[in-house]
Amino acid sequence: MTKRRMFLRMITASLLRRRSRMLIALLSIGIGATILAGLVTIYVDVPRQMGAQFRSYGANMLLLPREGAVLNSESLSEALRQIPADQLVGAAPYRYVRLDMTTRQQSFTAAGTDFTQIVKTSPYFSVEGAYPAETRQVLVGKAIADTIGVKPGSTMELTYQPVSGAADKTPEESRVPGARLSGKVEGFGGGMVYVSAVLDDEARLLSVTVDASTQTPEYGGRVPEDEAFLRQFTGKSLPLTLGGGIDALTGATVTSSAVVDALNSATETAAAARPRTMNFTVTGILTTGGEEEGYVFLSLPDMEAMTGTDQLDVAELSVSAGADRLEAYAGAVSENCENVQARLVKRVARSEASVLEKLTALVFLVTLVVLLLTMICVSTTMMAVVSERRREIGLRKALGASDSSIRAEFLGEGLFLGLLGGVMGAVLGFVFAQVVSVNVFGSSITFQPLLLPAAVIVSMAIAAASCLLPIKHAVAIDPAVVLKGE
Amino acid sequence: MSLLELKNVSKIYGDLKALDNVSLHVDQGEWVAIMGPSGSGKSTMMNIIGCMDKPTSGEVLLDGVDISRESSKKLTDIRRDKIGLIFQQFHMVNYLTAVENVMVSQYYHSMPDEKEALEALGRVGLRERARHLPSQLSGGEQQRVCVARALINHPELILADEPTGNLDEANENIVLDLFAQLHKEGTTLIVVTHDPEVADAAQRTIVLEHGKVAREVINENFGK
Ligand SMILES: Nc1ncnc2c1ncn2[C@@H]1O[C@H](COP(=O)(O)OP(=O)(O)OP(=O)(O)O)[C@@H](O)[C@H]1O
Ligand SMILES: [Mg+2]
């Protein structure tokens, strides 16, 4: 048997056969290592965790249309390509319009959006019921739901009033499809021909009035007074073609054609300008504690059907990146996209950094305190162990143990304890961190393989440092005094 | 040939002279008993001879080396290399088995050798109990382990401070037989005892009183 094997046999026997005392030392190292390993794990994981936490307080980047440009699903997805997919948590598009609830003489701000994205960018949204999953479904803000008294399952009729000043019209007027038409088209010689018409309930023309004062008086200028020409239009449905039921006024073909064109284009405009009403089912009531409670949310397809355009006002992005990266992505969007500009939501991005700093300091402080407590605890236990083993130490010295042998044996025991405690700490620390992470941050963490050697080395160092004073006492023991009687 | 020589050795604690000007001479291979009333300085002398303590004054020559002037590190070396110790309270490392306790002595001396350690236990009749912890051994058995431990490194000098003080008749005889064997092999033995029977087994008995050598008795019957 080699000396080294005997050495290991002695220190393991000391630890294994004198369990109760060593268990205390092992526990103090183990618990210390557990707390440290846990803290470090959480700390390493915290930037990610904190990022997720802060993102849950809202988006950290906005995409907006540039001056004179349009933000729609196409230009939005183009802009999103500037952000790495794995860092883009979510991108919620928004289109805001006013919608009327004609049955109650109320009007609200309505937001067209993508509910699958809202869940990611605004995880703090709390919905009673469910998010809309199909078209013709709405999510109603709590404030609105309280005023108009809707619940999940209720239906509501919403009207989009495109013409400015639509609110001034009586509902009666608004509901007549295209009551009045007016349009203008370039006539002969570049002058404008103005046309206005009145339609009946079936959208047939009742009467047509023309202003052709810019046209040559002998030719086109005669059109407004020519009863026969104008009478042709009565009872006709739009669109019309010259020669197809409408004959041009002799000598005024260009002006006549302009009248027909003006009427046709006016119908198109009128069609676009016609108020649209749709029925929706309420799927959920939204509580946010913010202004969103005063909104009605509907799907983008519904919004497009009501407003006739796929335009967006803004997209809220949640990006999992630090302040520097975030700025770089915003820069890339502004540089590479002609329709879209990016803006950072500064407040959140900044507080994320400052909270992290404070957390670093806190973790550092707690680590220091835990290290100190562990050392005191292990040192005290080892002191007790030394005084408990005075006779044994005296005996070993009497048998010829040198001071360095005694030192090596105690240090060996300490390091062995540190090894066991470190392994225990790494495993339990990970469990501890996992529990904290799941309970506090609501997400799980991955095991850092480096944690094991790090925990073992640190706890062995702590154990060794804690043994210094006890070893000094052990070495000072006088074999003669210890062995003499007692 | 002289192995040990004490010249005017005194050990003074405060105003108590535990050893008072003691001179003594032990030959190589001699078996000496030391007797005397309690407090007469027997253990004090053994500690000094055993390199665990230093005299206040005087010279102690062990194998021609004056151990009264050596550093404690040097004393440890000498003790390890030349001396085997047996104590009244059979001190053992309580979490090591009998054979491991013997091996501890080998470990500090040179190389642990389990086979040799088991043989030594065989010599004291404990081959079967080698794997037992001290708590599983009787007092007599423990003391025999201590004897095995003391002889394992073949020391020139065995110092035993009341080795049979806590033993029954049977165990006492086993230990005395071992001493006789060691004596035959040429080992020098110094045995402190209160027991006249144990003293009678030795060649010579030195009686201490009040830290002084009161008298010396040669055992005429030795070996008979
Ligand atoms: N470290 C010490 N400090 C003070 N006095 C001591 C010390 N060691 C021994 N003595 C005293 O020295 C004297 C001799 O002690 P020693 O132990 O040598 O006696 P002993 O002959 O072995 O007695 P016993 O037969 O009881 O074992 C005693 O009076 C004892 O009290
Ligand atoms: Mg004594």
Short mmCIF file of all heavy atoms in Angstrom, two decimals, chain A residues 32-94:
data_model
loop_
_atom_site.label_atom_id
_atom_site.label_comp_id
_atom_site.label_asym_id
_atom_site.label_seq_id
_atom_site.Cartn_x
_atom_site.Cartn_y
_atom_site.Cartn_z
N GLY A 32 -23.62 26.47 1.96
CA GLY A 32 -22.95 27.66 1.41
C GLY A 32 -22.78 27.53 -0.08
O GLY A 32 -23.11 28.44 -0.84
N ALA A 33 -22.27 26.36 -0.50
CA ALA A 33 -22.03 26.15 -1.93
C ALA A 33 -23.35 26.16 -2.70
O ALA A 33 -23.43 26.67 -3.82
CB ALA A 33 -21.31 24.83 -2.15
N THR A 34 -24.40 25.63 -2.07
CA THR A 34 -25.70 25.61 -2.73
C THR A 34 -26.18 27.03 -2.99
O THR A 34 -26.59 27.37 -4.10
CB THR A 34 -26.73 24.88 -1.83
OG1 THR A 34 -26.28 23.56 -1.62
CG2 THR A 34 -28.10 24.87 -2.48
N ILE A 35 -26.10 27.86 -1.95
CA ILE A 35 -26.58 29.23 -2.11
C ILE A 35 -25.73 29.95 -3.15
O ILE A 35 -26.26 30.63 -4.04
CB ILE A 35 -26.55 29.97 -0.76
CG1 ILE A 35 -27.53 29.31 0.20
CG2 ILE A 35 -26.89 31.44 -0.94
CD1 ILE A 35 -27.51 29.87 1.59
N LEU A 36 -24.41 29.77 -3.06
CA LEU A 36 -23.55 30.45 -4.02
C LEU A 36 -23.81 29.98 -5.44
O LEU A 36 -24.00 30.79 -6.35
CB LEU A 36 -22.08 30.22 -3.66
CG LEU A 36 -21.62 30.94 -2.41
CD1 LEU A 36 -20.12 30.77 -2.22
CD2 LEU A 36 -21.97 32.41 -2.48
N ALA A 37 -23.85 28.65 -5.60
CA ALA A 37 -24.07 28.11 -6.95
C ALA A 37 -25.42 28.58 -7.48
O ALA A 37 -25.55 28.96 -8.64
CB ALA A 37 -23.99 26.59 -6.92
N GLY A 38 -26.41 28.58 -6.59
CA GLY A 38 -27.74 29.04 -6.99
C GLY A 38 -27.72 30.49 -7.42
O GLY A 38 -28.23 30.85 -8.49
N LEU A 39 -27.10 31.31 -6.60
CA LEU A 39 -27.03 32.74 -6.90
C LEU A 39 -26.32 32.98 -8.23
O LEU A 39 -26.78 33.76 -9.07
CB LEU A 39 -26.26 33.47 -5.80
CG LEU A 39 -27.09 33.99 -4.64
CD1 LEU A 39 -26.21 34.74 -3.67
CD2 LEU A 39 -28.18 34.90 -5.16
N VAL A 40 -25.17 32.30 -8.38
CA VAL A 40 -24.40 32.51 -9.60
C VAL A 40 -25.20 32.06 -10.82
O VAL A 40 -25.24 32.76 -11.83
CB VAL A 40 -23.04 31.77 -9.52
CG1 VAL A 40 -22.35 31.77 -10.87
CG2 VAL A 40 -22.15 32.44 -8.48
N THR A 41 -25.87 30.91 -10.66
CA THR A 41 -26.69 30.43 -11.78
C THR A 41 -27.76 31.46 -12.14
O THR A 41 -27.94 31.82 -13.30
CB THR A 41 -27.36 29.10 -11.41
OG1 THR A 41 -26.36 28.21 -10.99
CG2 THR A 41 -28.10 28.52 -12.59
N ILE A 42 -28.45 31.92 -11.12
CA ILE A 42 -29.50 32.91 -11.37
C ILE A 42 -28.87 34.16 -11.98
O ILE A 42 -29.37 34.73 -12.95
CB ILE A 42 -30.24 33.27 -10.07
CG1 ILE A 42 -31.02 32.07 -9.58
CG2 ILE A 42 -31.18 34.44 -10.30
CD1 ILE A 42 -31.59 32.25 -8.20
N TYR A 43 -27.72 34.52 -11.42
CA TYR A 43 -27.07 35.75 -11.89
C TYR A 43 -26.68 35.64 -13.36
O TYR A 43 -26.88 36.55 -14.13
CB TYR A 43 -25.84 36.04 -11.03
CG TYR A 43 -25.11 37.25 -11.50
CD1 TYR A 43 -25.72 38.50 -11.45
CD2 TYR A 43 -23.84 37.16 -12.05
CE1 TYR A 43 -25.08 39.61 -11.90
CE2 TYR A 43 -23.20 38.27 -12.51
CZ TYR A 43 -23.82 39.49 -12.43
OH TYR A 43 -23.18 40.59 -12.91
N VAL A 44 -26.09 34.46 -13.72
CA VAL A 44 -25.70 34.26 -15.11
C VAL A 44 -26.94 34.31 -15.99
O VAL A 44 -26.93 34.84 -17.10
CB VAL A 44 -24.97 32.91 -15.27
CG1 VAL A 44 -24.84 32.53 -16.73
CG2 VAL A 44 -23.60 33.00 -14.63
N ASP A 45 -28.03 33.77 -15.47
CA ASP A 45 -29.24 33.67 -16.26
C ASP A 45 -30.08 34.95 -16.21
O ASP A 45 -30.98 35.13 -17.00
CB ASP A 45 -30.07 32.50 -15.75
CG ASP A 45 -30.59 31.67 -16.90
OD1 ASP A 45 -29.74 31.23 -17.69
OD2 ASP A 45 -31.81 31.50 -17.02
N VAL A 46 -29.75 35.80 -15.25
CA VAL A 46 -30.62 36.95 -15.01
C VAL A 46 -30.74 37.93 -16.18
O VAL A 46 -31.84 38.39 -16.46
CB VAL A 46 -30.22 37.67 -13.71
CG1 VAL A 46 -30.25 39.16 -13.85
CG2 VAL A 46 -31.13 37.24 -12.60
N PRO A 47 -29.65 38.25 -16.88
CA PRO A 47 -29.85 39.17 -18.00
C PRO A 47 -30.95 38.70 -18.94
O PRO A 47 -31.80 39.48 -19.36
CB PRO A 47 -28.49 39.17 -18.69
CG PRO A 47 -27.54 38.85 -17.61
CD PRO A 47 -28.25 37.91 -16.70
N ARG A 48 -30.95 37.36 -19.19
CA ARG A 48 -31.99 36.81 -20.04
C ARG A 48 -33.35 36.93 -19.34
O ARG A 48 -34.33 37.40 -19.91
CB ARG A 48 -31.67 35.34 -20.31
CG ARG A 48 -32.44 34.74 -21.45
CD ARG A 48 -31.85 33.39 -21.80
NE ARG A 48 -32.10 32.40 -20.77
CZ ARG A 48 -33.27 31.80 -20.59
NH1 ARG A 48 -34.29 32.12 -21.35
NH2 ARG A 48 -33.42 30.90 -19.66
N GLN A 49 -33.32 36.55 -18.05
CA GLN A 49 -34.56 36.61 -17.28
C GLN A 49 -35.11 38.03 -17.21
O GLN A 49 -36.28 38.26 -17.40
CB GLN A 49 -34.30 36.12 -15.85
CG GLN A 49 -33.73 34.75 -15.77
CD GLN A 49 -34.82 33.70 -15.86
OE1 GLN A 49 -35.92 34.01 -16.32
NE2 GLN A 49 -34.51 32.51 -15.45
N MET A 50 -34.18 38.95 -16.89
CA MET A 50 -34.61 40.34 -16.73
C MET A 50 -35.15 40.85 -18.05
O MET A 50 -36.13 41.57 -18.09
CB MET A 50 -33.46 41.22 -16.27
CG MET A 50 -33.01 40.96 -14.85
SD MET A 50 -34.35 41.07 -13.68
CE MET A 50 -34.46 42.84 -13.53
N GLY A 51 -34.47 40.49 -19.12
CA GLY A 51 -34.94 40.90 -20.44
C GLY A 51 -36.37 40.47 -20.63
O GLY A 51 -37.24 41.27 -20.97
N ALA A 52 -36.62 39.20 -20.30
CA ALA A 52 -37.97 38.68 -20.46
C ALA A 52 -38.94 39.42 -19.55
O ALA A 52 -40.05 39.78 -19.95
CB ALA A 52 -37.99 37.19 -20.14
N GLN A 53 -38.46 39.70 -18.30
CA GLN A 53 -39.30 40.42 -17.37
C GLN A 53 -39.69 41.78 -17.91
O GLN A 53 -40.85 42.17 -17.89
CB GLN A 53 -38.56 40.63 -16.04
CG GLN A 53 -38.63 39.48 -15.11
CD GLN A 53 -40.05 39.10 -14.78
OE1 GLN A 53 -40.66 38.31 -15.47
NE2 GLN A 53 -40.60 39.67 -13.75
N PHE A 54 -38.69 42.50 -18.40
CA PHE A 54 -38.97 43.86 -18.85
C PHE A 54 -39.82 43.86 -20.10
O PHE A 54 -40.65 44.72 -20.29
CB PHE A 54 -37.68 44.63 -19.08
CG PHE A 54 -37.18 45.23 -17.82
CD1 PHE A 54 -36.12 44.69 -17.13
CD2 PHE A 54 -37.83 46.33 -17.29
CE1 PHE A 54 -35.70 45.23 -15.94
CE2 PHE A 54 -37.41 46.89 -16.10
CZ PHE A 54 -36.34 46.33 -15.43
N ARG A 55 -39.58 42.87 -20.94
CA ARG A 55 -40.40 42.82 -22.13
C ARG A 55 -41.85 42.61 -21.76
O ARG A 55 -42.74 43.04 -22.46
CB ARG A 55 -39.90 41.71 -23.05
CG ARG A 55 -39.10 42.30 -24.19
CD ARG A 55 -38.50 41.24 -25.05
NE ARG A 55 -37.31 40.69 -24.42
CZ ARG A 55 -37.24 39.48 -23.94
NH1 ARG A 55 -38.27 38.67 -24.00
NH2 ARG A 55 -36.14 39.06 -23.37
N SER A 56 -42.07 41.97 -20.63
CA SER A 56 -43.46 41.76 -20.26
C SER A 56 -44.11 43.06 -19.81
O SER A 56 -45.29 43.11 -19.57
CB SER A 56 -43.57 40.69 -19.19
OG SER A 56 -43.09 41.20 -17.97
N TYR A 57 -43.32 44.12 -19.65
CA TYR A 57 -43.92 45.41 -19.35
C TYR A 57 -44.21 46.18 -20.63
O TYR A 57 -44.58 47.34 -20.59
CB TYR A 57 -43.03 46.23 -18.44
CG TYR A 57 -42.91 45.60 -17.09
CD1 TYR A 57 -41.69 45.24 -16.56
CD2 TYR A 57 -44.06 45.30 -16.36
CE1 TYR A 57 -41.61 44.63 -15.33
CE2 TYR A 57 -43.99 44.69 -15.14
CZ TYR A 57 -42.76 44.35 -14.62
OH TYR A 57 -42.68 43.74 -13.41
N GLY A 58 -44.00 45.59 -21.77
CA GLY A 58 -44.37 46.24 -23.01
C GLY A 58 -43.29 46.09 -24.05
O GLY A 58 -42.24 45.52 -23.82
N ALA A 59 -43.62 46.62 -25.23
CA ALA A 59 -42.69 46.51 -26.34
C ALA A 59 -41.49 47.41 -26.08
O ALA A 59 -41.58 48.37 -25.34
CB ALA A 59 -43.38 46.93 -27.62
N ASN A 60 -40.34 47.07 -26.68
CA ASN A 60 -39.19 47.95 -26.52
C ASN A 60 -38.75 48.59 -27.84
O ASN A 60 -37.75 49.26 -27.90
CB ASN A 60 -38.03 47.24 -25.82
CG ASN A 60 -37.65 45.94 -26.51
OD1 ASN A 60 -38.22 45.59 -27.53
ND2 ASN A 60 -36.69 45.26 -25.94
N MET A 61 -39.52 48.36 -28.91
CA MET A 61 -39.22 49.04 -30.17
C MET A 61 -40.52 49.28 -30.93
O MET A 61 -41.45 48.46 -30.86
CB MET A 61 -38.27 48.19 -31.03
CG MET A 61 -37.64 48.99 -32.15
SD MET A 61 -36.81 47.95 -33.37
CE MET A 61 -35.28 47.61 -32.57
N LEU A 62 -40.59 50.43 -31.60
CA LEU A 62 -41.76 50.74 -32.41
C LEU A 62 -41.34 50.88 -33.86
O LEU A 62 -40.28 51.43 -34.15
CB LEU A 62 -42.40 52.07 -31.96
CG LEU A 62 -42.92 52.15 -30.54
CD1 LEU A 62 -43.50 53.55 -30.29
CD2 LEU A 62 -43.98 51.10 -30.30
N LEU A 63 -42.16 50.39 -34.77
CA LEU A 63 -41.94 50.64 -36.20
C LEU A 63 -43.08 51.53 -36.68
O LEU A 63 -44.25 51.24 -36.45
CB LEU A 63 -41.92 49.33 -36.98
CG LEU A 63 -40.76 48.38 -36.66
CD1 LEU A 63 -40.84 47.14 -37.55
CD2 LEU A 63 -39.42 49.06 -36.84
N LEU A 64 -42.69 52.64 -37.34
CA LEU A 64 -43.68 53.62 -37.79
C LEU A 64 -43.47 53.89 -39.27
O LEU A 64 -42.36 53.71 -39.79
CB LEU A 64 -43.49 54.94 -37.02
CG LEU A 64 -43.61 54.86 -35.51
CD1 LEU A 64 -42.88 56.00 -34.85
CD2 LEU A 64 -45.08 54.85 -35.14
N PRO A 65 -44.54 54.34 -39.97
CA PRO A 65 -44.33 54.69 -41.38
C PRO A 65 -43.52 55.99 -41.48
O PRO A 65 -43.61 56.85 -40.60
CB PRO A 65 -45.75 54.89 -41.90
CG PRO A 65 -46.56 55.20 -40.70
CD PRO A 65 -45.92 54.51 -39.54
N ARG A 66 -42.69 56.07 -42.50
CA ARG A 66 -41.98 57.33 -42.75
C ARG A 66 -42.93 58.36 -43.31
O ARG A 66 -44.01 58.02 -43.80
CB ARG A 66 -40.87 57.10 -43.78
CG ARG A 66 -39.61 56.54 -43.20
CD ARG A 66 -38.63 56.39 -44.33
NE ARG A 66 -37.60 55.42 -43.98
CZ ARG A 66 -36.43 55.76 -43.44
NH1 ARG A 66 -36.14 57.01 -43.20
NH2 ARG A 66 -35.55 54.83 -43.16
N GLU A 67 -42.51 59.61 -43.30
CA GLU A 67 -43.28 60.71 -43.91
C GLU A 67 -43.68 60.31 -45.32
O GLU A 67 -42.80 59.97 -46.13
CB GLU A 67 -42.43 61.98 -44.02
CG GLU A 67 -42.31 62.84 -42.79
CD GLU A 67 -43.59 63.59 -42.43
OE1 GLU A 67 -44.32 64.04 -43.36
OE2 GLU A 67 -43.85 63.69 -41.24
N GLY A 68 -44.97 60.33 -45.62
CA GLY A 68 -45.43 60.09 -46.97
C GLY A 68 -45.37 58.65 -47.40
O GLY A 68 -45.74 58.32 -48.53
N ALA A 69 -44.89 57.76 -46.55
CA ALA A 69 -44.83 56.34 -46.92
C ALA A 69 -45.91 55.58 -46.17
O ALA A 69 -46.55 56.12 -45.27
CB ALA A 69 -43.47 55.76 -46.61
N VAL A 70 -46.09 54.34 -46.56
CA VAL A 70 -47.17 53.55 -45.99
C VAL A 70 -46.59 52.36 -45.23
O VAL A 70 -45.68 51.69 -45.71
CB VAL A 70 -48.12 53.06 -47.11
CG1 VAL A 70 -49.12 52.06 -46.54
CG2 VAL A 70 -48.82 54.24 -47.75
N LEU A 71 -47.12 52.15 -44.04
CA LEU A 71 -46.77 50.94 -43.29
C LEU A 71 -47.90 49.95 -43.50
O LEU A 71 -49.05 50.23 -43.19
CB LEU A 71 -46.62 51.27 -41.79
CG LEU A 71 -46.29 50.09 -40.88
CD1 LEU A 71 -44.90 49.56 -41.14
CD2 LEU A 71 -46.45 50.47 -39.41
N ASN A 72 -47.58 48.82 -44.09
CA ASN A 72 -48.56 47.75 -44.20
C ASN A 72 -47.86 46.43 -43.96
O ASN A 72 -46.66 46.41 -43.66
CB ASN A 72 -49.27 47.78 -45.56
CG ASN A 72 -48.28 47.77 -46.71
OD1 ASN A 72 -47.15 47.34 -46.55
ND2 ASN A 72 -48.72 48.26 -47.85
N SER A 73 -48.59 45.34 -44.09
CA SER A 73 -47.98 44.04 -43.73
C SER A 73 -46.73 43.79 -44.55
O SER A 73 -45.77 43.17 -44.07
CB SER A 73 -48.99 42.91 -43.91
OG SER A 73 -49.52 42.96 -45.21
N GLU A 74 -46.74 44.30 -45.78
CA GLU A 74 -45.59 44.06 -46.65
C GLU A 74 -44.36 44.83 -46.17
O GLU A 74 -43.29 44.23 -45.96
CB GLU A 74 -45.97 44.53 -48.06
CG GLU A 74 -45.20 43.86 -49.16
CD GLU A 74 -45.76 44.31 -50.50
OE1 GLU A 74 -46.99 44.19 -50.69
OE2 GLU A 74 -44.97 44.82 -51.31
N SER A 75 -44.51 46.14 -45.96
CA SER A 75 -43.34 46.91 -45.54
C SER A 75 -42.93 46.55 -44.11
O SER A 75 -41.77 46.68 -43.73
CB SER A 75 -43.60 48.41 -45.67
OG SER A 75 -44.75 48.79 -44.98
N LEU A 76 -43.90 46.04 -43.33
CA LEU A 76 -43.57 45.63 -41.97
C LEU A 76 -42.68 44.38 -41.98
O LEU A 76 -41.63 44.35 -41.34
CB LEU A 76 -44.85 45.35 -41.18
CG LEU A 76 -44.66 44.77 -39.77
CD1 LEU A 76 -43.88 45.74 -38.90
CD2 LEU A 76 -45.99 44.43 -39.12
N SER A 77 -43.08 43.38 -42.78
CA SER A 77 -42.27 42.16 -42.77
C SER A 77 -40.89 42.43 -43.36
O SER A 77 -39.91 41.79 -42.98
CB SER A 77 -42.99 41.02 -43.50
OG SER A 77 -43.27 41.40 -44.81
N GLU A 78 -40.84 43.40 -44.27
CA GLU A 78 -39.53 43.78 -44.81
C GLU A 78 -38.64 44.36 -43.69
O GLU A 78 -37.47 44.01 -43.57
CB GLU A 78 -39.75 44.81 -45.92
CG GLU A 78 -38.50 45.21 -46.67
CD GLU A 78 -38.77 46.42 -47.55
OE1 GLU A 78 -39.77 46.41 -48.27
OE2 GLU A 78 -37.97 47.38 -47.46
N ALA A 79 -39.24 45.19 -42.85
CA ALA A 79 -38.48 45.80 -41.76
C ALA A 79 -38.08 44.76 -40.71
O ALA A 79 -37.00 44.81 -40.14
CB ALA A 79 -39.30 46.91 -41.11
N LEU A 80 -38.97 43.80 -40.49
CA LEU A 80 -38.68 42.78 -39.47
C LEU A 80 -37.50 41.91 -39.86
O LEU A 80 -36.87 41.28 -39.01
CB LEU A 80 -39.92 41.90 -39.22
CG LEU A 80 -41.08 42.60 -38.54
CD1 LEU A 80 -42.23 41.65 -38.32
CD2 LEU A 80 -40.65 43.21 -37.21
N ARG A 81 -37.22 41.87 -41.17
CA ARG A 81 -36.08 41.07 -41.61
C ARG A 81 -34.76 41.66 -41.11
O ARG A 81 -33.73 40.99 -41.13
CB ARG A 81 -36.06 40.99 -43.14
CG ARG A 81 -36.49 39.61 -43.61
CD ARG A 81 -36.64 39.55 -45.11
NE ARG A 81 -38.02 39.73 -45.51
CZ ARG A 81 -38.42 40.48 -46.54
NH1 ARG A 81 -37.55 41.13 -47.27
NH2 ARG A 81 -39.69 40.57 -46.82
N GLN A 82 -34.77 42.90 -40.62
CA GLN A 82 -33.55 43.51 -40.11
C GLN A 82 -33.22 43.04 -38.69
O GLN A 82 -32.16 43.35 -38.16
CB GLN A 82 -33.69 45.05 -40.09
CG GLN A 82 -34.05 45.65 -41.42
CD GLN A 82 -32.97 45.43 -42.46
OE1 GLN A 82 -31.79 45.42 -42.14
NE2 GLN A 82 -33.38 45.22 -43.70
N ILE A 83 -34.15 42.30 -38.09
CA ILE A 83 -33.94 41.86 -36.71
C ILE A 83 -33.84 40.33 -36.71
O ILE A 83 -34.70 39.66 -37.28
CB ILE A 83 -35.11 42.31 -35.82
CG1 ILE A 83 -35.16 43.85 -35.81
CG2 ILE A 83 -34.98 41.77 -34.41
CD1 ILE A 83 -36.45 44.41 -35.32
N PRO A 84 -32.77 39.78 -36.09
CA PRO A 84 -32.60 38.32 -36.08
C PRO A 84 -33.85 37.64 -35.51
O PRO A 84 -34.37 38.06 -34.47
CB PRO A 84 -31.41 38.10 -35.15
CG PRO A 84 -30.67 39.39 -35.18
CD PRO A 84 -31.67 40.47 -35.41
N ALA A 85 -34.29 36.63 -36.22
CA ALA A 85 -35.56 35.98 -35.87
C ALA A 85 -35.55 35.44 -34.44
O ALA A 85 -36.56 35.50 -33.75
CB ALA A 85 -35.86 34.86 -36.85
N ASP A 86 -34.38 34.94 -34.00
CA ASP A 86 -34.37 34.33 -32.67
C ASP A 86 -34.42 35.36 -31.56
O ASP A 86 -34.59 35.03 -30.41
CB ASP A 86 -33.14 33.42 -32.51
CG ASP A 86 -31.84 34.19 -32.69
OD1 ASP A 86 -31.85 35.17 -33.47
OD2 ASP A 86 -30.84 33.82 -32.06
N GLN A 87 -34.22 36.62 -31.91
CA GLN A 87 -34.28 37.67 -30.88
C GLN A 87 -35.59 38.44 -30.93
O GLN A 87 -35.88 39.25 -30.06
CB GLN A 87 -33.10 38.63 -31.02
CG GLN A 87 -31.81 37.94 -30.64
CD GLN A 87 -30.61 38.83 -30.78
OE1 GLN A 87 -30.69 40.04 -30.67
NE2 GLN A 87 -29.47 38.22 -31.04
N LEU A 88 -36.35 38.19 -31.98
CA LEU A 88 -37.63 38.88 -32.11
C LEU A 88 -38.68 38.05 -31.38
O LEU A 88 -39.06 36.97 -31.81
CB LEU A 88 -37.99 39.02 -33.59
CG LEU A 88 -39.28 39.77 -33.86
CD1 LEU A 88 -39.18 41.22 -33.42
CD2 LEU A 88 -39.65 39.68 -35.32
N VAL A 89 -39.10 38.59 -30.24
CA VAL A 89 -40.08 37.84 -29.45
C VAL A 89 -41.46 37.94 -30.08
O VAL A 89 -42.20 36.97 -30.15
CB VAL A 89 -40.10 38.37 -28.01
CG1 VAL A 89 -41.17 37.66 -27.20
CG2 VAL A 89 -38.74 38.21 -27.37
N GLY A 90 -41.78 39.14 -30.55
CA GLY A 90 -43.08 39.32 -31.17
C GLY A 90 -43.17 40.70 -31.81
O GLY A 90 -42.40 41.60 -31.49
N ALA A 91 -44.07 40.84 -32.77
CA ALA A 91 -44.27 42.13 -33.44
C ALA A 91 -45.76 42.28 -33.66
O ALA A 91 -46.35 41.57 -34.47
CB ALA A 91 -43.52 42.18 -34.76
N ALA A 92 -46.38 43.19 -32.91
CA ALA A 92 -47.83 43.36 -33.00
C ALA A 92 -48.15 44.60 -33.83
O ALA A 92 -47.79 45.70 -33.45
CB ALA A 92 -48.43 43.48 -31.61
N PRO A 93 -48.81 44.42 -34.99
CA PRO A 93 -49.19 45.56 -35.82
C PRO A 93 -50.48 46.19 -35.27
O PRO A 93 -51.31 45.50 -34.68
CB PRO A 93 -49.44 44.92 -37.18
CG PRO A 93 -49.84 43.52 -36.88
CD PRO A 93 -49.20 43.14 -35.58
N TYR A 94 -50.60 47.50 -35.46
CA TYR A 94 -51.83 48.17 -34.99
C TYR A 94 -52.32 49.15 -36.05
O TYR A 94 -51.53 49.85 -36.69
CB TYR A 94 -51.57 48.95 -33.69
CG TYR A 94 -51.39 48.08 -32.48
CD1 TYR A 94 -50.12 47.78 -32.01
CD2 TYR A 94 -52.50 47.57 -31.80
CE1 TYR A 94 -49.94 46.98 -30.89
CE2 TYR A 94 -52.33 46.77 -30.69
CZ TYR A 94 -51.06 46.48 -30.23
OH TYR A 94 -50.90 45.69 -29.13
#
